[in-house]
Amino acid sequence: MKSIFAAEWAAIRTWWSVWIGAISAVIVTAVPIIADHWPDVAPGFVALFPKHGEQVAPVIGLLLTLAARLISQRAVIEQVRKIFKSDGGSNVQEK
């Protein structure tokens, strides 16, 4: 079975884009939760982030960005081609 990852895990761990994405997802998730428990902690900084419960879309976006970086696009395209070729071309209309 082919690997779905773009590279070996040892190489992926050294990519700065993966680290930045992971850290960003943690920050966007954690800051509103921390602000709920300690509202007096850096209110100017906390105001830059979405309120608790509103950070779902940014977190999903960051996770999708990480997935796009980690997953081999070639493997995805091959799987999509297999799906569309599996019917033997019976969906193709002739003119």
Side-chain angles (χ1 to χ4, degrees):
M1 182 175 150
K2 290 184 181 178
S3 175
I4 62 167
F5 292 111
E8 294 295 323
W9 186 247
I12 289 173
R13 290 187 341 197
T14 64
W15 294 347
W16 64 269
S17 58
V18 173
W19 283 101
I20 295 296
I23 291 169
S24 298
V26 169
I27 289 173
V28 169
T29 303
V31 167
I33 294 169
I34 291 169
D36 285 349
H37 294 293
W38 298 290
D40 296 331
V41 175
F45 178 72
V46 171
L48 297 173
F49 293 88
K51 292 182 171 77
H52 183 68
E54 296 175 355
Q55 79 268 32
V56 173
V59 170
I60 290 172
L62 287 166
L63 294 176
L64 288 174
T65 302
L66 282 172
R69 178 68 172 117
L70 295 175
I71 296 172
S72 169
Q73 279 75 34
R74 179 174 291 160
V76 172
I77 291 171
E78 287 175 5
Q79 291 300 319
V80 170
R81 286 183 179 156
K82 284 181 184 179
I83 290 170
F84 288 111
K85 286 184 180 181
S86 66
D87 64 359
S90 62
N91 291 337
V92 177
Q93 295 178 354
E94 293 184 25
K95 292 185 179 184

